[in-house]
Amino acid sequence: MADLEAGMVAAATDQGNSTRSQDDAATLIPNSGNLGSSNRSTKTARFKDDDELVEITLDVQRDSVAIQEVRGVDEGGSGHGTGFDGLPLVSPSSKSGRLTSKLRQVTNGLKMKSSSRKAPSPQAQQSAKRVRKRLDRTKSSAAVALKGLQFVTAKVGNDGWAAVEKRFNQLQVDGVLLRSRFGKCIGMDGSDEFAVQMFDSLARKRGIVKQVLTKDELKDFYEQLTDQGFDNRLRTFFDMVDKNADGRLTAEEVKEIIALSASANKLSKIKERADEYTALIMEELDPTNLGYIEMEDLEALLLQSPSEAAARSTTTHSSKLSKALSMKLASNKEMSPVRHYWQQFMYFLEENWKRSWVMTLWISICIALFIWKFIQYRNRAVFGIMGYCVTTAKGAAETLKFNMALVLLPVCRNTITWIRSKTQVGAVVPFNDNINFHKVIAAGVAVGVALHAGAHLTCDFPRLLHASDAQYELMKPFFGEKRPPNYWWFVKGTEGWTGVVMVVLMAIAFTLAQPWFRRNKLKDSNPLKKMTGFNAFWFTHHLFVIVYTLLFVHGTCLYLSRKWYKKTTWMYLAVPVILYVSERILRLFRSHDAVGIQKVAVYPGNVLALYMSKPPGFRYRSGQYIFIKCTAVSPYEWHPFSITSAPGDDYLSVHIRTRGDWTSRLRTVFSEACRPPTEGESGLLRADLSKGITDEKARFPKLLVDGPYGAPAQDYREYDVLLLIGLGIGATPLISIVKDVLNHIQGEGLVGTTEPESSSKAKKKPFMTKRAYFYWVTREEGSFEWFRGVMNEVAEKDKDGVIELHNHCSSVYQEGDARSALIVMLQELQHAKKGVDILSGTSVKTHFARPNWRSVFKKVAVSHENQRVGVFYCGEPVLVPQLRQLSADFTHKTNTRFDFHKENF
């Protein structure tokens, strides 16, 4: 600021050099008014020009200076009333000579205004406009611009020159760095074309014509890229675009940098529409059709970033409360380790008490059964020969019978859906974890098999073969008068071969059910790849029919138990097997009739959207899923998909992403019946029977539907506020919830039509949700076409702003990275002028990079005190730990309760 004051004094001195007298000296007068901040002050300076005094009042605010007032002053010191408000800001980095020039323009303009009162010429207006653009830097806009144009970010070159130098030593060839390796050397991986353009602009500025850099030249480049000054960053970016170095950007140069930025961010649609967006920028920055724009115009576009202002206005309604919340969420470093772990344990119990008591009960039953059978055989005569081997085998066998019965219950989907919809059992039983519990029980079965089969085959049978005649005398009632001749006698018997076959079949099913094999993650070169995948999982899992048949036989033909009431295997299995068989029969009859296909759409990202007629009596809740079978693809396979339509819709829809053999074939058979979409329709291919958009010779394949079935997301009605988070195709169950909330806002979604049951009690159940936040993160720009209609519908009909939509494209570099700077500018310009997002084509503005989830939770907590927030997540498991931890943190440290629910994906 001292430099600025010195500049003003120098300007005043220069201004009055020719005619100044002792009274003409510039006077800098601090104003003693109420400034509101210690970092803000008002200073007044007087200048004399051609026997006229001009008084200029400046509003000084740290890094910026605003000309608050310019007025003429007579010799007596009183003004003559030519107020001049709202003049541009002056950057403190401007040179004193430039400041003198600008102040002289102001003074001359003031004299013209006070004397002739003539309207300024168009040239003067254009000049004033450029000056205003160049100088209009408020503190907030400068901060936004500094964040919006960074060549060195947290992920690019931020590791310092030492790391860059190390990479140079690795990449150099004969002591120089090749132009093609410049991006990799500075840490800008994945943007080779953009990095090459940076190289060319920096080299052009220094007169370097060779295609290589020495280490010293690289360091010079790096120092410019890491310069924190906004002017230097802007100049670097401008030079990248201005290839002929004439200081002007033509439409062709703007188009080229748009295409380059789009390629760097994997935005093919923006690249295709580069001409349109070039015209948009030129129209905004070159209103007089000069055919070019200058650096001042580009700066003005950077300084005007409404997204930041909007973000600040929507972050919180109370800065004090937000600050208090941040302090409360800060970790307590003084907490002792014991107290810390105890607190974490209590948090765990609070969040997982349902799972905890169920797991405790299950483990307790298994231990009790093992001990009971262990003690029983410990007191039998056979213990004298086989010892603890037989007690271990029989204890494990008892837990096996229990777990083989229990493992069927979590996959009785109809029963679970009925219980969670009709009763209050779901308040204490975690039905959302049914598949996880099924896997846990399967692990218990594997442990039981290992103990039971291992003890028999490696210990019991060898001991019996080597028993003395006196010892064997006690075993004659069980193994016969004649001693078993060899080990093979045990294996080939009914008890032996049934056990061995069961072990082999369960080992195959258990192995192919692992995610590595079920999701077909093996390399193409692996010979086992053809034997894995969902089909292998599905068919081998159905070997359980053989396993349970053999289990009945194996449990009946026992060596050491001859009385029927001691053969308890059938007692364990009877009820679960009958229940499961009944469910399969119900599915068979319920899915007998095919649904009618109304509309088909194939979207970018290999997504197939199917719109079907509702089967008779079909009732469901948002968040539930159905099973689909297409006989044209496979006559046996059923696959689950989340319902994307709302209960109040007159159709049933699903969105299916092709990720395997079955879904790929399904997309192929439906694509054959589609045509390119008509004008105004989204997607790559479409078929709409109502509009006649289909191939005349093509016919839709037959589809069978089974369901609906309960899922974690169906419990959204219990919460005042919803925080819906979807990754990629994981948005499907959440879209149904958004549509259902919208229907209730309009009064169209009647509760009676949404519930799967028809009881009067269910019809009176209130709809508690009053606010919904939907965050959708996807890597592909084409993904936004999947639910464009829903987003447009929400924007059009949600007049009260109950639903807040946030789209995030993670393929675009974070806001602030120079590679996405122009994309951000285009986004703001397009949305401001046309109200349409450049990526989604809707009024919902797309954000770049992934959200800051802590900020998201903080915003919800501050906005909804003393309320219950249902956090529903569907997507890849990588985000689950973070969201679960944030839900726990904000629940325990704020008065807003967050309940986290993960969809099985």
Side-chain angles (χ1 to χ4, degrees), residues 352-365 406 428-431 437 441:
N352 299 277
W353 67 271
K354 293 182 184 179
R355 300 183 183 95
S356 298
W357 83 260
V358 170
M359 287 297 298
T360 301
L361 178 63
W362 174 68
I363 293 174
S364 299
I365 293 175
L406 189 63
V428 294
V429 176
F431 287 117
F437 191 46
I441 299 171

Side-chain angles (χ1 to χ4, degrees), residues 371-422:
I371 294 175
W372 170 58
K373 216 63 178 177
F374 187 95
I375 294 175
Q376 188 180 92
Y377 274 82
R378 175 67 177 78
N379 297 323
R380 292 185 60 174
V382 69
F383 181 79
I385 299 176
M386 300 181 182
Y388 286 105
C389 298
V390 70
T391 56
T392 301
K394 290 302 181 180
E398 203 67 20
T399 63
L400 262 176
K401 289 183 282 186
F402 170 68
N403 285 326
M404 287 296 289
L406 189 63
V407 76
L408 294 175
L409 298 182
V411 291
C412 291
R413 292 187 291 267
N414 288 291
T415 303
I416 291 176
T417 301
W418 183 87
I419 292 175
R420 70 187 300 170
S421 300
K422 284 276 193 177

Side-chain angles (χ1 to χ4, degrees), residues 785-821:
E785 292 192 22
W786 305 347
F787 307 116
R788 181 186 296 176
V790 177
M791 289 186 282
N792 283 330
E793 188 178 2
V794 171
E796 177 185 351
K797 298 179 179 179
D798 183 18
K799 303 300 183 183
D800 297 329
V802 175
I803 303 172
E804 192 173 299
L805 302 178
H806 297 268
N807 295 336
H808 287 259
C809 185
S810 59
S811 68
V812 182
Y813 292 101
Q814 63 183 358
E815 295 185 25
D817 195 307
R819 289 170 289 184
S820 63

